[in-house]
Amino acid sequence: MTTDNQGEDALTEQPFVSHLLELRDRLLRALIAVGIIFAGLFPFSNDIYQMVAGPLMAHLPEGSSMIATEVASPFLTPFKLTLMSSIFIGMPFILYQMWAFIAPGLYKHEKRLMIPLVASSALLFYIGVMFAYFVVFPLVFAFMASTTPEGVVMATDIAKYLDFVLSLFFAFGIAFEVPIATIILVSMGMTTPESLVQKRPYIIVGAFALGMLLTPPDVISQTLLALPMWLLFEIGVFFSRIIKRDKERREQAEAAGDEDAAAGVDDTPPSGPDKSGPGAAAAVAGVDPAFDMVEDPSDPERFEPLTEEELEAELDIIEAAEEAEQEPEAADDQADHDPEVADQADHDPAIDEKLRRVQQLRDQDEPVKARGLLYEILGEAGPEQAKVARNILAQLDEDY
């Protein structure tokens, strides 16, 4: 008995340990990449700091310069900036490692949504940082220099200046992610473009309030953060409408019986080497399996949609299992003579209750909660109930 328990523990613990090992490998690769970039940039750490300090140095009074009030600041401040620059430059590779770790647990339609979102979010973050450096810094420092009281020498400490610019870089980088957040909210069905347009006045006020909290206490930087956030919100609403129209087009095509157009299926045969074998799509040209969008027909766990008749039959089995639970003696007698009822006994009543809860959430127009409950069911249910859950997920993808 002890041996059996040890074997079961090994089976249950091994997947978790393998995930931890993969996470460790991904983190090590990211750290190694940042270390290599840092090693290449460190000899130029003082030059990098001078470049970042350029917008302030250009507006300092004649004869004035930056100062270091702490003993280790002349070394630690450029060191810190070089390390942050290494992370900044290596961010695409870091995001790739994160994506490669979570991608195996995503469905194909989720991969198709996440890949452009991850790429565009990194690009928008870089654009936000560049906007802060080339647009915001010159205006803010010119304003600060012009408002310096008479008799006060403007000599900024290098450590304080670094903290100031890093906070602005982070604030503008995050603020430029507004379109991504808007598209994600609409894609998940949590809101609609029309609802966002109605809430535009509140969003504008919120943008200025957020700019006040994230930027230094001056009107210029607050305004220069709030206005791009507003414009980026409008861009996010624009692309959200395109996504919504595309979903409506798929629904209309499906209603007209054009299932291929609704699903966006490409019937063009693949050119080049045969891609039908397991893992062949990832092997061709060294493509990472995390970006593999081709389903392997030989995979025994590959999702196959049920027909309407099969789905109705599965739901009937769930209802019959519930009735059998209420009348166990009659169900046992019938199971001896009816194999179909015997199969119904394999259904977990708790999973059946969750599936009914999913239907209630769909009726209440709460797709996010329904989707979360379905993911929970997929981790607990048997093959038949999991198949029902996958089909309901597919229907949610089409509806939302």
Side-chain angles (χ1 to χ4, degrees):
M1 187 67 179
T2 304
T3 304
D4 295 339
N5 291 336
Q6 291 177 349
E8 294 178 0
D9 292 341
L11 290 175
T12 56
E13 291 177 3
Q14 183 61 31
F16 179 71
V17 173
S18 64
H19 289 319
L20 288 180
L21 293 176
E22 182 181 1
L23 178 60
R24 181 201 62 183
D25 293 339
R26 298 292 180 182
L27 291 176
L28 284 176
R29 292 175 186 175
L31 290 175
I32 291 173
V34 172
I36 293 174
I37 297 173
F38 177 79
L41 294 179
F42 183 71
F44 310 98
S45 57
N46 290 335
D47 297 330
I48 295 173
Y49 190 88
Q50 290 178 2
M51 181 184 68
V52 174
L56 175 62
M57 298 293 292
H59 296 90
L60 286 177
E62 185 177 355
S64 179
S65 64
M66 301 182 71
I67 61 174
T69 58
E70 298 179 1
V71 176
S73 291
F75 170 76
L76 291 181
T77 302
F79 180 90
K80 179 180 177 182
L81 177 60
T82 305
L83 180 60
M84 297 300 297
S85 301
S86 302
I87 297 175
F88 178 76
I89 295 174
M91 187 57 65
F93 185 77
I94 296 173
L95 291 176
Y96 165 75
Q97 294 299 326
M98 294 173 56
W99 164 254
F101 176 72
I102 66 174
L106 299 178
Y107 288 103
K108 185 172 64 174
H109 67 277
E110 293 172 334
K111 288 184 179 181
R112 289 174 176 171
L113 177 64
M114 288 297 296
I115 288 177
L117 289 181
V118 170
S120 58
S121 62
L123 178 62
L124 287 173
F125 186 84
Y126 285 143
I127 293 175
V129 171
M130 294 298 103
F131 180 83
Y133 181 81
F134 290 105
V135 178
V136 178
F137 285 0
L139 295 176
V140 170
F141 296 143
F143 173 78
M144 295 296 183
S146 64
T147 57
T148 302
E150 186 177 354
V152 176
V153 178
M154 186 176 179
T156 306
D157 178 67
I158 60 174
K160 298 294 184 183
Y161 176 76
L162 179 60
D163 294 338
F164 176 83
V165 297
L166 288 181
S167 64
L168 279 184
F169 282 156
F170 179 77
F172 278 86
I174 296 299
F176 272 60
E177 302 293 333
V178 170
I180 303 299
T182 304
I183 293 173
I184 290 176
L185 290 175
V186 174
S187 300
M188 294 177 63
M190 299 180 66
T191 185
T192 61
E194 293 75 14
S195 176
L196 291 174
V197 170
Q198 293 176 356
K199 298 173 182 176
R200 181 183 287 121
Y202 304 99
I203 293 175
I204 295 175
V205 174
F208 277 91
L210 192 60
M212 177 186 64
L213 295 174
L214 295 179
T215 60
D218 65 278
V219 179
I220 294 180
S221 58
Q222 175 185 356
T223 304
L224 289 176
L225 179 61
L227 289 179
M229 287 180 65
W230 176 24
L231 295 177
L232 291 168
F233 163 75
E234 299 295 342
I235 293 175
V237 171
F238 172 76
F239 283 104
S240 298
R241 286 173 173 164
I242 295 178
I243 293 175
K244 183 179 179 182
R245 284 199 299 267
D246 183 65
K247 186 182 75 171
E248 292 175 351
R249 179 191 61 80
R250 292 198 306 268
E251 292 176 351
Q252 292 175 359
E254 183 179 5
D258 190 359
E259 296 181 356
D260 288 344
V265 177
D266 185 8
D267 292 332
T268 305
S271 59
D274 182 16
K275 301 182 180 181
S276 59
V284 177
V287 178
D288 194 295
F291 295 90
D292 183 15
M293 301 296 170
V294 181
E295 292 185 356
D296 181 14
S298 63
D299 185 2
E301 298 183 358
R302 185 172 66 94
F303 167 64
E304 296 181 359
L306 294 173
T307 63
E308 291 293 336
E309 294 77 9
E310 291 174 339
L311 184 58
E312 290 294 333
E314 291 293 337
L315 293 176
D316 290 340
I317 292 177
I318 293 175
E319 294 177 358
E322 182 182 7
E323 296 176 357
E325 182 182 358
Q326 296 175 355
E327 300 178 359
E329 295 181 358
D332 291 341
D333 294 339
Q334 186 177 1
D336 295 337
H337 303 87
D338 193 345
E340 183 178 355
V341 176
D343 293 336
Q344 296 170 5
D346 294 335
H347 282 66
D348 187 349
I351 302 299
D352 293 342
E353 180 61 31
K354 290 183 179 180
L355 287 171
R356 286 190 290 272
R357 176 58 180 163
V358 168
Q359 294 294 340
Q360 294 175 1
L361 291 173
R362 292 182 64 186
D363 296 337
Q364 297 170 4
D365 197 19
E366 295 185 359
V368 178
K369 294 182 179 179
R371 193 183 300 274
L373 188 56
L374 285 169
Y375 287 138
E376 180 180 341
I377 292 172
L378 288 174
E380 302 173 355
E384 295 299 325
Q385 292 172 315
K387 196 171 186 179
V388 175
R390 291 193 188 97
N391 278 271
I392 299 176
L393 267 176
Q395 294 176 358
L396 286 175
D397 291 338
E398 296 174 357
D399 295 339
Y400 299 96

Short mmCIF file of all heavy atoms in Angstrom, two decimals, residues 253-317:
data_model
loop_
_atom_site.label_atom_id
_atom_site.label_comp_id
_atom_site.label_asym_id
_atom_site.label_seq_id
_atom_site.Cartn_x
_atom_site.Cartn_y
_atom_site.Cartn_z
N ALA A 253 -21.46 35.04 -40.57
CA ALA A 253 -21.02 33.98 -41.48
C ALA A 253 -21.43 32.61 -40.95
O ALA A 253 -21.84 31.74 -41.72
CB ALA A 253 -19.50 34.05 -41.67
N GLU A 254 -21.34 32.44 -39.63
CA GLU A 254 -21.75 31.17 -39.04
C GLU A 254 -23.25 30.96 -39.17
O GLU A 254 -23.72 29.86 -39.46
CB GLU A 254 -21.33 31.13 -37.58
CG GLU A 254 -21.64 29.80 -36.90
CD GLU A 254 -21.19 29.79 -35.46
OE1 GLU A 254 -20.73 30.82 -34.98
OE2 GLU A 254 -21.31 28.72 -34.83
N ALA A 255 -24.02 32.05 -38.97
CA ALA A 255 -25.47 31.94 -39.12
C ALA A 255 -25.86 31.60 -40.56
O ALA A 255 -26.85 30.93 -40.80
CB ALA A 255 -26.13 33.24 -38.69
N ALA A 256 -25.04 32.06 -41.52
CA ALA A 256 -25.32 31.78 -42.93
C ALA A 256 -24.83 30.40 -43.36
O ALA A 256 -25.01 30.01 -44.50
CB ALA A 256 -24.69 32.85 -43.82
N GLY A 257 -24.18 29.70 -42.43
CA GLY A 257 -23.71 28.35 -42.73
C GLY A 257 -22.30 28.28 -43.25
O GLY A 257 -21.81 27.21 -43.59
N ASP A 258 -21.63 29.43 -43.33
CA ASP A 258 -20.24 29.45 -43.81
C ASP A 258 -19.32 29.26 -42.62
O ASP A 258 -18.76 30.21 -42.08
CB ASP A 258 -19.96 30.78 -44.51
CG ASP A 258 -18.62 30.75 -45.24
OD1 ASP A 258 -17.95 29.71 -45.16
OD2 ASP A 258 -18.27 31.77 -45.87
N GLU A 259 -19.16 28.03 -42.18
CA GLU A 259 -18.39 27.75 -40.97
C GLU A 259 -16.92 28.07 -41.15
O GLU A 259 -16.25 28.50 -40.23
CB GLU A 259 -18.57 26.28 -40.58
CG GLU A 259 -20.00 25.94 -40.21
CD GLU A 259 -20.13 24.49 -39.79
OE1 GLU A 259 -19.12 23.77 -39.88
OE2 GLU A 259 -21.24 24.08 -39.40
N ASP A 260 -16.40 27.85 -42.37
CA ASP A 260 -14.98 28.14 -42.59
C ASP A 260 -14.71 29.62 -42.47
O ASP A 260 -13.70 30.04 -41.89
CB ASP A 260 -14.55 27.64 -43.97
CG ASP A 260 -14.47 26.13 -44.02
OD1 ASP A 260 -14.45 25.51 -42.94
OD2 ASP A 260 -14.45 25.57 -45.14
N ALA A 261 -15.60 30.46 -43.01
CA ALA A 261 -15.41 31.91 -42.89
C ALA A 261 -15.56 32.35 -41.46
O ALA A 261 -14.88 33.26 -41.00
CB ALA A 261 -16.41 32.65 -43.79
N ALA A 262 -16.47 31.72 -40.72
CA ALA A 262 -16.66 32.11 -39.32
C ALA A 262 -15.47 31.76 -38.48
O ALA A 262 -15.10 32.50 -37.57
CB ALA A 262 -17.91 31.41 -38.76
N ALA A 263 -14.85 30.64 -38.75
CA ALA A 263 -13.71 30.22 -37.95
C ALA A 263 -12.39 30.76 -38.47
O ALA A 263 -11.36 30.62 -37.82
CB ALA A 263 -13.63 28.68 -37.91
N GLY A 264 -12.41 31.40 -39.64
CA GLY A 264 -11.17 31.93 -40.18
C GLY A 264 -10.23 30.84 -40.63
O GLY A 264 -9.02 30.95 -40.49
N VAL A 265 -10.78 29.76 -41.18
CA VAL A 265 -9.97 28.61 -41.57
C VAL A 265 -9.35 28.87 -42.92
O VAL A 265 -10.00 29.35 -43.85
CB VAL A 265 -10.84 27.33 -41.62
CG1 VAL A 265 -10.00 26.16 -42.10
CG2 VAL A 265 -11.41 27.06 -40.25
N ASP A 266 -8.07 28.58 -43.06
CA ASP A 266 -7.36 28.70 -44.32
C ASP A 266 -7.24 27.32 -44.93
O ASP A 266 -6.58 26.45 -44.38
CB ASP A 266 -5.98 29.30 -44.07
CG ASP A 266 -5.25 29.55 -45.38
OD1 ASP A 266 -5.88 29.40 -46.43
OD2 ASP A 266 -4.05 29.90 -45.33
N ASP A 267 -7.93 27.14 -46.07
CA ASP A 267 -7.93 25.84 -46.72
C ASP A 267 -6.72 25.64 -47.63
O ASP A 267 -6.58 24.60 -48.26
CB ASP A 267 -9.20 25.66 -47.56
CG ASP A 267 -10.43 25.57 -46.67
OD1 ASP A 267 -10.28 25.11 -45.53
OD2 ASP A 267 -11.52 25.96 -47.12
N THR A 268 -5.84 26.64 -47.73
CA THR A 268 -4.68 26.52 -48.60
C THR A 268 -3.74 25.46 -48.06
O THR A 268 -3.34 25.53 -46.89
CB THR A 268 -3.94 27.86 -48.69
OG1 THR A 268 -4.88 28.86 -49.12
CG2 THR A 268 -2.79 27.77 -49.67
N PRO A 269 -3.37 24.47 -48.86
CA PRO A 269 -2.48 23.43 -48.34
C PRO A 269 -1.12 24.00 -48.03
O PRO A 269 -0.63 24.89 -48.72
CB PRO A 269 -2.41 22.41 -49.50
CG PRO A 269 -2.76 23.21 -50.72
CD PRO A 269 -3.72 24.27 -50.26
N PRO A 270 -0.45 23.50 -46.97
CA PRO A 270 0.88 24.02 -46.63
C PRO A 270 1.89 23.65 -47.68
O PRO A 270 1.87 22.55 -48.23
CB PRO A 270 1.18 23.33 -45.28
CG PRO A 270 0.35 22.10 -45.29
CD PRO A 270 -0.89 22.42 -46.05
N SER A 271 2.76 24.60 -47.96
CA SER A 271 3.81 24.34 -48.94
C SER A 271 5.08 23.89 -48.23
O SER A 271 5.27 24.17 -47.06
CB SER A 271 4.11 25.62 -49.75
OG SER A 271 4.50 26.67 -48.89
N GLY A 272 5.96 23.27 -48.96
CA GLY A 272 7.22 22.84 -48.37
C GLY A 272 7.09 21.49 -47.73
O GLY A 272 6.29 20.63 -48.14
N PRO A 273 7.88 21.25 -46.65
CA PRO A 273 7.91 19.94 -46.01
C PRO A 273 6.57 19.59 -45.40
O PRO A 273 5.76 20.45 -45.09
CB PRO A 273 9.00 20.10 -44.93
CG PRO A 273 9.81 21.27 -45.36
CD PRO A 273 8.88 22.16 -46.09
N ASP A 274 6.35 18.29 -45.24
CA ASP A 274 5.11 17.81 -44.64
C ASP A 274 5.03 18.26 -43.20
O ASP A 274 5.94 18.06 -42.42
CB ASP A 274 5.09 16.28 -44.72
CG ASP A 274 3.80 15.71 -44.17
OD1 ASP A 274 2.84 16.50 -44.03
OD2 ASP A 274 3.77 14.50 -43.88
N LYS A 275 3.88 18.88 -42.81
CA LYS A 275 3.70 19.41 -41.46
C LYS A 275 2.64 18.65 -40.68
O LYS A 275 2.12 19.13 -39.70
CB LYS A 275 3.31 20.90 -41.52
CG LYS A 275 4.35 21.75 -42.21
CD LYS A 275 3.95 23.21 -42.21
CE LYS A 275 4.98 24.08 -42.90
NZ LYS A 275 4.62 25.51 -42.89
N SER A 276 2.30 17.47 -41.14
CA SER A 276 1.22 16.76 -40.47
C SER A 276 1.69 15.95 -39.28
O SER A 276 0.88 15.55 -38.46
CB SER A 276 0.53 15.83 -41.48
OG SER A 276 1.47 14.90 -42.00
N GLY A 277 2.97 15.67 -39.18
CA GLY A 277 3.48 14.86 -38.09
C GLY A 277 3.52 15.62 -36.79
O GLY A 277 3.50 16.84 -36.76
N PRO A 278 3.59 14.92 -35.64
CA PRO A 278 3.64 15.59 -34.35
C PRO A 278 4.92 16.40 -34.21
O PRO A 278 6.01 15.91 -34.42
CB PRO A 278 3.58 14.44 -33.33
CG PRO A 278 4.01 13.23 -34.09
CD PRO A 278 3.60 13.45 -35.50
N GLY A 279 4.75 17.67 -33.81
CA GLY A 279 5.89 18.55 -33.59
C GLY A 279 6.56 19.02 -34.86
O GLY A 279 7.58 19.70 -34.80
N ALA A 280 6.01 18.65 -36.04
CA ALA A 280 6.68 19.03 -37.29
C ALA A 280 6.62 20.53 -37.51
O ALA A 280 7.54 21.12 -38.06
CB ALA A 280 6.02 18.30 -38.46
N ALA A 281 5.51 21.15 -37.09
CA ALA A 281 5.39 22.59 -37.28
C ALA A 281 6.45 23.34 -36.50
O ALA A 281 6.93 24.39 -36.92
CB ALA A 281 4.00 23.06 -36.86
N ALA A 282 6.80 22.82 -35.33
CA ALA A 282 7.83 23.48 -34.52
C ALA A 282 9.22 23.17 -35.05
O ALA A 282 10.15 23.95 -34.86
CB ALA A 282 7.73 23.03 -33.06
N ALA A 283 9.37 22.03 -35.71
CA ALA A 283 10.68 21.64 -36.18
C ALA A 283 11.09 22.40 -37.42
O ALA A 283 12.27 22.63 -37.66
CB ALA A 283 10.72 20.14 -36.46
N VAL A 284 10.10 22.79 -38.27
CA VAL A 284 10.41 23.48 -39.50
C VAL A 284 10.99 24.86 -39.17
O VAL A 284 10.41 25.64 -38.45
CB VAL A 284 9.15 23.62 -40.38
CG1 VAL A 284 9.48 24.42 -41.63
CG2 VAL A 284 8.65 22.24 -40.75
N ALA A 285 12.16 25.17 -39.70
CA ALA A 285 12.83 26.46 -39.53
C ALA A 285 13.10 26.78 -38.07
O ALA A 285 13.31 27.93 -37.72
CB ALA A 285 12.00 27.58 -40.16
N GLY A 286 13.09 25.77 -37.19
CA GLY A 286 13.44 26.00 -35.80
C GLY A 286 12.43 26.83 -35.05
O GLY A 286 12.78 27.58 -34.15
N VAL A 287 11.16 26.76 -35.40
CA VAL A 287 10.14 27.56 -34.73
C VAL A 287 9.94 27.05 -33.31
O VAL A 287 9.87 25.85 -33.08
CB VAL A 287 8.81 27.49 -35.52
CG1 VAL A 287 7.72 28.27 -34.81
CG2 VAL A 287 9.01 28.03 -36.92
N ASP A 288 9.84 27.98 -32.35
CA ASP A 288 9.63 27.61 -30.96
C ASP A 288 8.24 27.02 -30.80
O ASP A 288 7.27 27.55 -31.33
CB ASP A 288 9.78 28.85 -30.06
CG ASP A 288 9.89 28.46 -28.60
OD1 ASP A 288 8.92 27.91 -28.08
OD2 ASP A 288 10.95 28.72 -28.00
N PRO A 289 8.10 25.90 -30.06
CA PRO A 289 6.77 25.31 -29.86
C PRO A 289 5.78 26.27 -29.22
O PRO A 289 4.58 26.11 -29.35
CB PRO A 289 7.05 24.11 -28.94
CG PRO A 289 8.48 23.80 -29.15
CD PRO A 289 9.16 25.09 -29.45
N ALA A 290 6.26 27.30 -28.50
CA ALA A 290 5.35 28.25 -27.87
C ALA A 290 4.55 29.02 -28.89
O ALA A 290 3.46 29.51 -28.60
CB ALA A 290 6.15 29.23 -27.00
N PHE A 291 5.06 29.11 -30.15
CA PHE A 291 4.37 29.85 -31.18
C PHE A 291 3.70 28.91 -32.19
O PHE A 291 3.27 29.36 -33.26
CB PHE A 291 5.35 30.77 -31.91
CG PHE A 291 5.91 31.84 -31.04
CD1 PHE A 291 7.08 31.64 -30.32
CD2 PHE A 291 5.26 33.04 -30.91
CE1 PHE A 291 7.59 32.64 -29.50
CE2 PHE A 291 5.76 34.05 -30.09
CZ PHE A 291 6.92 33.84 -29.39
N ASP A 292 3.62 27.65 -31.86
CA ASP A 292 3.00 26.68 -32.76
C ASP A 292 1.49 26.82 -32.70
O ASP A 292 0.88 26.59 -31.67
CB ASP A 292 3.43 25.26 -32.37
CG ASP A 292 2.86 24.22 -33.32
OD1 ASP A 292 2.41 24.61 -34.41
OD2 ASP A 292 2.88 23.03 -32.98
N MET A 293 0.89 27.23 -33.81
CA MET A 293 -0.57 27.40 -33.89
C MET A 293 -1.24 26.22 -34.58
O MET A 293 -2.45 26.23 -34.77
CB MET A 293 -0.90 28.68 -34.66
CG MET A 293 -0.31 29.92 -34.04
SD MET A 293 -0.99 30.23 -32.41
CE MET A 293 0.09 31.53 -31.87
N VAL A 294 -0.48 25.19 -34.98
CA VAL A 294 -1.03 24.06 -35.73
C VAL A 294 -1.36 22.94 -34.77
O VAL A 294 -0.52 22.51 -33.98
CB VAL A 294 -0.03 23.57 -36.80
CG1 VAL A 294 -0.62 22.41 -37.59
CG2 VAL A 294 0.35 24.71 -37.71
N GLU A 295 -2.60 22.48 -34.80
CA GLU A 295 -3.00 21.36 -33.96
C GLU A 295 -2.54 20.05 -34.57
O GLU A 295 -2.64 19.84 -35.78
CB GLU A 295 -4.52 21.36 -33.79
CG GLU A 295 -5.03 22.54 -32.99
CD GLU A 295 -6.52 22.42 -32.74
OE1 GLU A 295 -7.13 21.46 -33.28
OE2 GLU A 295 -7.08 23.28 -32.05
N ASP A 296 -2.03 19.18 -33.74
CA ASP A 296 -1.54 17.88 -34.18
C ASP A 296 -2.70 16.89 -34.27
O ASP A 296 -3.30 16.56 -33.25
CB ASP A 296 -0.48 17.38 -33.20
CG ASP A 296 0.09 16.04 -33.61
OD1 ASP A 296 -0.15 15.65 -34.78
OD2 ASP A 296 0.76 15.40 -32.78
N PRO A 297 -3.06 16.43 -35.47
CA PRO A 297 -4.18 15.50 -35.60
C PRO A 297 -3.97 14.20 -34.84
O PRO A 297 -4.93 13.53 -34.47
CB PRO A 297 -4.29 15.26 -37.11
CG PRO A 297 -3.57 16.41 -37.74
CD PRO A 297 -2.48 16.78 -36.77
N SER A 298 -2.72 13.80 -34.61
CA SER A 298 -2.46 12.54 -33.92
C SER A 298 -2.48 12.67 -32.41
O SER A 298 -2.31 11.67 -31.71
CB SER A 298 -1.09 11.99 -34.36
OG SER A 298 -0.06 12.88 -33.98
N ASP A 299 -2.66 13.89 -31.89
CA ASP A 299 -2.67 14.10 -30.44
C ASP A 299 -3.96 13.53 -29.87
O ASP A 299 -5.05 13.97 -30.24
CB ASP A 299 -2.56 15.59 -30.13
CG ASP A 299 -2.45 15.86 -28.63
OD1 ASP A 299 -2.41 14.86 -27.87
OD2 ASP A 299 -2.40 17.04 -28.23
N PRO A 300 -3.88 12.55 -28.94
CA PRO A 300 -5.11 11.95 -28.41
C PRO A 300 -5.92 12.94 -27.57
O PRO A 300 -7.12 12.74 -27.39
CB PRO A 300 -4.59 10.79 -27.54
CG PRO A 300 -3.19 11.15 -27.21
CD PRO A 300 -2.68 11.93 -28.38
N GLU A 301 -5.29 14.00 -27.03
CA GLU A 301 -6.01 14.97 -26.22
C GLU A 301 -6.44 16.19 -27.03
O GLU A 301 -6.87 17.19 -26.47
CB GLU A 301 -5.13 15.42 -25.05
CG GLU A 301 -4.76 14.29 -24.11
CD GLU A 301 -3.96 14.78 -22.92
OE1 GLU A 301 -3.68 15.99 -22.88
OE2 GLU A 301 -3.63 13.96 -22.05
N ARG A 302 -6.31 16.11 -28.35
CA ARG A 302 -6.68 17.25 -29.18
C ARG A 302 -8.19 17.49 -29.07
O ARG A 302 -8.99 16.56 -29.12
CB ARG A 302 -6.31 16.98 -30.64
CG ARG A 302 -6.56 18.16 -31.58
CD ARG A 302 -5.97 17.87 -32.95
NE ARG A 302 -6.68 16.77 -33.59
CZ ARG A 302 -7.68 16.93 -34.43
NH1 ARG A 302 -8.13 18.13 -34.71
NH2 ARG A 302 -8.27 15.88 -34.98
N PHE A 303 -8.57 18.75 -28.96
CA PHE A 303 -9.97 19.10 -28.81
C PHE A 303 -10.71 18.91 -30.13
O PHE A 303 -10.29 19.42 -31.16
CB PHE A 303 -10.09 20.55 -28.34
CG PHE A 303 -11.50 21.10 -28.45
CD1 PHE A 303 -12.52 20.55 -27.70
CD2 PHE A 303 -11.77 22.15 -29.30
CE1 PHE A 303 -13.80 21.06 -27.79
CE2 PHE A 303 -13.05 22.65 -29.39
CZ PHE A 303 -14.07 22.11 -28.63
N GLU A 304 -11.82 18.16 -30.08
CA GLU A 304 -12.67 17.98 -31.24
C GLU A 304 -14.07 18.45 -30.89
O GLU A 304 -14.70 17.92 -29.96
CB GLU A 304 -12.71 16.50 -31.65
CG GLU A 304 -11.36 15.96 -32.11
CD GLU A 304 -11.45 14.51 -32.52
OE1 GLU A 304 -12.57 13.95 -32.43
OE2 GLU A 304 -10.44 13.94 -32.95
N PRO A 305 -14.59 19.46 -31.59
CA PRO A 305 -15.92 19.99 -31.24
C PRO A 305 -17.00 18.93 -31.39
O PRO A 305 -16.99 18.10 -32.30
CB PRO A 305 -16.11 21.13 -32.24
CG PRO A 305 -14.73 21.46 -32.73
CD PRO A 305 -13.97 20.18 -32.68
N LEU A 306 -17.96 18.97 -30.47
CA LEU A 306 -19.11 18.09 -30.55
C LEU A 306 -20.15 18.69 -31.48
O LEU A 306 -20.27 19.92 -31.59
CB LEU A 306 -19.73 17.89 -29.16
CG LEU A 306 -18.89 17.16 -28.11
CD1 LEU A 306 -19.60 17.21 -26.77
CD2 LEU A 306 -18.63 15.73 -28.51
N THR A 307 -20.91 17.84 -32.11
CA THR A 307 -22.05 18.33 -32.87
C THR A 307 -23.16 18.71 -31.90
O THR A 307 -23.10 18.42 -30.70
CB THR A 307 -22.53 17.24 -33.83
OG1 THR A 307 -23.00 16.10 -33.06
CG2 THR A 307 -21.40 16.79 -34.76
N GLU A 308 -24.17 19.38 -32.41
CA GLU A 308 -25.29 19.79 -31.56
C GLU A 308 -25.97 18.57 -30.94
O GLU A 308 -26.35 18.59 -29.76
CB GLU A 308 -26.31 20.59 -32.40
CG GLU A 308 -25.81 21.96 -32.84
CD GLU A 308 -25.64 22.89 -31.67
OE1 GLU A 308 -26.30 22.68 -30.63
OE2 GLU A 308 -24.83 23.83 -31.78
N GLU A 309 -26.09 17.49 -31.73
CA GLU A 309 -26.73 16.28 -31.20
C GLU A 309 -25.89 15.66 -30.09
O GLU A 309 -26.42 15.22 -29.05
CB GLU A 309 -26.96 15.27 -32.33
CG GLU A 309 -27.97 15.72 -33.39
CD GLU A 309 -27.40 16.74 -34.35
OE1 GLU A 309 -26.16 16.97 -34.30
OE2 GLU A 309 -28.18 17.31 -35.14
N GLU A 310 -24.56 15.61 -30.28
CA GLU A 310 -23.68 15.02 -29.26
C GLU A 310 -23.68 15.85 -27.99
O GLU A 310 -23.67 15.31 -26.88
CB GLU A 310 -22.26 14.90 -29.82
CG GLU A 310 -22.12 13.86 -30.92
CD GLU A 310 -20.73 13.88 -31.54
OE1 GLU A 310 -20.04 14.91 -31.41
OE2 GLU A 310 -20.34 12.86 -32.14
N LEU A 311 -23.70 17.18 -28.15
CA LEU A 311 -23.73 18.04 -26.97
C LEU A 311 -25.02 17.87 -26.20
O LEU A 311 -25.03 17.80 -24.96
CB LEU A 311 -23.54 19.50 -27.39
CG LEU A 311 -23.44 20.52 -26.26
CD1 LEU A 311 -22.28 20.18 -25.33
CD2 LEU A 311 -23.27 21.93 -26.82
N GLU A 312 -26.15 17.78 -26.92
CA GLU A 312 -27.43 17.55 -26.26
C GLU A 312 -27.43 16.20 -25.54
O GLU A 312 -27.97 16.07 -24.43
CB GLU A 312 -28.56 17.60 -27.29
CG GLU A 312 -28.85 18.99 -27.84
CD GLU A 312 -29.38 19.93 -26.77
OE1 GLU A 312 -29.99 19.43 -25.80
OE2 GLU A 312 -29.19 21.15 -26.90
N ALA A 313 -26.81 15.20 -26.17
CA ALA A 313 -26.75 13.88 -25.54
C ALA A 313 -25.94 13.92 -24.25
O ALA A 313 -26.31 13.30 -23.25
CB ALA A 313 -26.16 12.87 -26.52
N GLU A 314 -24.82 14.65 -24.26
CA GLU A 314 -24.01 14.77 -23.05
C GLU A 314 -24.77 15.48 -21.94
O GLU A 314 -24.69 15.10 -20.77
CB GLU A 314 -22.70 15.51 -23.36
CG GLU A 314 -21.73 14.75 -24.24
CD GLU A 314 -21.17 13.53 -23.54
OE1 GLU A 314 -21.16 13.50 -22.30
OE2 GLU A 314 -20.76 12.58 -24.23
N LEU A 315 -25.50 16.52 -22.30
CA LEU A 315 -26.29 17.24 -21.29
C LEU A 315 -27.41 16.34 -20.74
O LEU A 315 -27.75 16.41 -19.56
CB LEU A 315 -26.88 18.52 -21.90
CG LEU A 315 -25.84 19.59 -22.27
CD1 LEU A 315 -26.51 20.77 -22.96
CD2 LEU A 315 -25.10 20.07 -21.02
N ASP A 316 -27.98 15.50 -21.61
CA ASP A 316 -29.00 14.57 -21.14
C ASP A 316 -28.40 13.58 -20.15
O ASP A 316 -29.04 13.20 -19.16
CB ASP A 316 -29.60 13.81 -22.33
CG ASP A 316 -30.45 14.73 -23.20
OD1 ASP A 316 -30.87 15.80 -22.69
OD2 ASP A 316 -30.68 14.39 -24.38
N ILE A 317 -27.17 13.15 -20.41
CA ILE A 317 -26.49 12.23 -19.49
C ILE A 317 -26.30 12.89 -18.13
O ILE A 317 -26.47 12.26 -17.07
CB ILE A 317 -25.15 11.77 -20.08
CG1 ILE A 317 -25.39 10.87 -21.30
CG2 ILE A 317 -24.32 11.03 -19.05
CD1 ILE A 317 -24.12 10.44 -22.00
#
